[in-house]
Amino acid sequence: MVGIGAGRELLTLKALKAIEESEYIVGYEKYVKEIEEFAKGKKLITTGMREEMKRVEIAVELAKKSVVSLVSGGDPSVYGILPFVFEFLMKKGEDIEIEVIPGVTASSASSALLGCPISGDHVVLSLSDLLVPWNVIESRLLYALRGGFVIAIYNPSSYSRKENLRRALRLVMEERGDLFVGVVKNAFREGQSISIVRVSELTENPDLVDMNTTLIIPNYETIVKNGKMFTPRKYEAKKMGGITRGALEIVERSSEILKNIVPGDGLREEILRRCIATTGDPSIKDAIQFNGDPWEGVEAIKKGSRIIVDVRMVKFGLRISSICAVDFANGDDTKTSSGLKSLEKLIEGSVVGIGNSPSAAITLYEISKFRKPRFIVATPVGFVNAEESKQLISSLEIPSITTKGTRGGSNICVAILNCLVEYAGRSD
Ligand code: SAH
């Protein structure tokens, strides 16, 4: 299994040696042609596009008696033919000796031509929906965008897939705005072209992209200057988990104002400041009630306690994964309450966040008598049972944070939980 690299001259010494030692070279015609000059005197067997299985079959049959190089562009494992080989051998129960020789993949080659965009965490994603359903591709792209990754897009387009590119670009625009995208066509091959264009330009001119193109979507840290693109290793917005420089300035100014309203370096003060920040209301600090030590919440999360929440608004706001009660609702009760009941066994030892539903808080109180959570944040809101439900929670012998009276809400619950999560992630 020989990766011949994403373009001419990107062949490794090891790949060259393997080709020299082989009797047969099998591959897609375009790739075999690319290494022709190194394969003089070899028996060349080529097949067309989408004939991967045929190539594999031929190569495996020949490999029973001879040394065969099955060549693949770039790296043989990256959207390459290698997984088909393993699949075939497993299905047939055949046993031949395989050596895998890695190759320079298109994302490395394209990154090099653009400068240095993939210097840190990045995602490689193919837009081809031949083997993977489009909804899976789309949701992976969404999470990669939200995760702040630089993204290398393979198979961005073919005649039948222009629509996929259009939808992907729309998502990029929605999530990251009209930023510059690296477009590398035929890297290290004849017809090489490198351009850096805006998402909107690319959307209007989809012909800038073809089957031999790799797109590099930068992240907010990436700098585009003098026709080059690079992503610094050091995160400027390090503490803020990937926000832009402009936003960081605002956050810093806001933090100064909040420190004047609630001075102090403790966890309690930080929680109060965040509740004020999320509501824009300094008086909310008088409604926050600490029942026991909030550090217990930090410790629980640090030790890996699972987080259970009442509604999706809380789940989606959290910077950590959680289980949401409404997803487990199955009774006549309110969704959050019946959901919590079905999660009953998991509640023991968990951190539970109730941001919206008084009925969930009451159910949690009942469950907590025999299955004790480690920590509770209960800020349900409203005029029916909200106040009573929080009084019940604060009467438990379990450390918790609640809001007094009718006040509260999912945003406050999220602000508090995210603060605990952040403190739990600190090394000091
Ligand atoms: N195994 C290959 C990828 C095969 S999928 C590898 O590791 O590189 C085919 C896709 O790879 C193309 O649609 C294109 O997006 C990308 N690609 C391969 N070679 C390329 C090149 N020389 N320049 C730009 N993109 C390339």
Side-chain angles (χ1 to χ4, degrees), residues 122-416:
H122 62 280
V123 160
V124 171
L125 186 89
S126 165
L127 292 193
S128 168
D129 57 2
L130 289 175
L131 303 171
V132 179
W134 175 252
N135 63 335
V136 172
I137 297 170
E138 198 165 43
S139 77
R140 285 183 181 166
L141 175 59
L142 180 68
Y143 282 112
L145 287 163
R146 296 206 170 152
F149 295 98
V150 170
I151 306 164
I153 294 190
Y154 285 46
N155 297 307
S157 188
S158 70
Y159 294 110
S160 55
R161 280 198 297 275
K162 288 276 181 230
E163 181 59 17
N164 292 4
L165 176 65
R166 209 180 53 75
R167 289 155 95 176
L169 289 175
R170 194 175 59 202
L171 207 55
V172 173
M173 182 75 112
E174 283 167 10
E175 290 293 321
R176 291 208 180 152
D178 198 9
L179 40 67
F180 284 108
V181 172
V183 184
V184 179
K185 211 182 257 189
N186 293 308
F188 298 93
R189 292 205 173 108
E190 223 176 279
Q192 169 178 300
S193 83
I194 307 150
S195 44
I196 297 180
V197 298
R198 287 205 184 266
V199 179
S200 55
E201 257 179 276
L202 207 50
T203 309
E204 278 160 32
N205 307 292
D207 292 339
L208 290 175
V209 172
D210 67 9
M211 280 171 66
N212 304 309
T213 307
T214 297
L215 296 178
I216 305 277
I217 316 283
N219 69 7
Y220 290 128
E221 302 295 313
T222 308
I223 293 165
V224 179
K225 215 171 173 179
N226 302 333
K228 290 284 177 199
M229 198 178 235
F230 86 99
T231 312
R233 291 283 305 279
K234 185 169 160 24
Y235 240 70
E236 285 248 348
K238 208 173 182 176
K239 286 189 209 129
M240 306 311 302
I243 63 170
T244 59
R245 274 167 277 277
L248 189 62
E249 227 169 80
I250 296 171
V251 169
E252 276 167 358
R253 267 174 54 202
S254 158
S255 148
E256 220 170 274
I257 296 167
L258 289 165
K259 276 221 157 145
N260 281 329
I261 304 172
V262 182
D265 291 326
L267 174 59
R268 284 169 198 247
E269 289 82 8
E270 183 58 23
I271 287 171
L272 294 180
R273 283 193 289 268
R274 287 177 187 222
C275 291
I276 296 171
T278 196
T279 53
D281 173 11
S283 76
I284 193 78
K285 69 178 193 297
D286 303 320
I288 309 292
Q289 185 174 318
F290 295 96
N291 314 294
D293 188 355
W295 278 103
E296 301 263 348
V298 175
E299 281 307 312
I301 294 168
K302 222 178 200 169
K303 295 222 169 78
S305 281
R306 69 167 61 81
I307 300 192
I308 297 175
V309 300
D310 59 341
V311 291
R312 294 209 183 102
M313 200 163 152
V314 175
K315 180 182 171 72
F316 291 143
L318 289 185
R319 292 197 193 149
I320 193 172
S321 69
S322 62
I323 302 173
C324 181
V326 292
D327 293 332
F328 294 86
N330 61 0
D332 294 334
D333 235 333
T334 64
K335 275 192 198 165
T336 50
S337 178
S338 87
L340 271 189
K341 280 179 195 157
S342 39
L343 291 171
E344 200 180 285
K345 287 192 184 136
L346 299 183
I347 284 177
E348 184 126 29
S350 295
V351 170
V352 185
I354 307 291
N356 179 271
S357 158
S359 64
I362 294 169
T363 302
L364 178 64
Y365 168 76
E366 294 299 334
I367 294 174
S368 295
K369 288 182 192 160
F370 49 98
R371 291 197 191 274
K372 283 196 182 340
R374 284 196 60 175
F375 196 83
I376 299 172
V377 176
T379 62
V381 65
F383 298 90
V384 182
N385 291 340
E387 184 163 11
E388 296 81 345
S389 75
K390 290 178 285 190
Q391 276 164 2
L392 289 175
I393 294 290
S394 60
S395 74
L396 288 165
E397 276 180 10
I398 296 164
S400 64
I401 301 173
T402 49
T403 45
K404 293 177 199 156
T406 52
R407 303 178 76 177
S410 296
N411 55 338
I412 295 183
C413 185
V414 167
I416 296 172

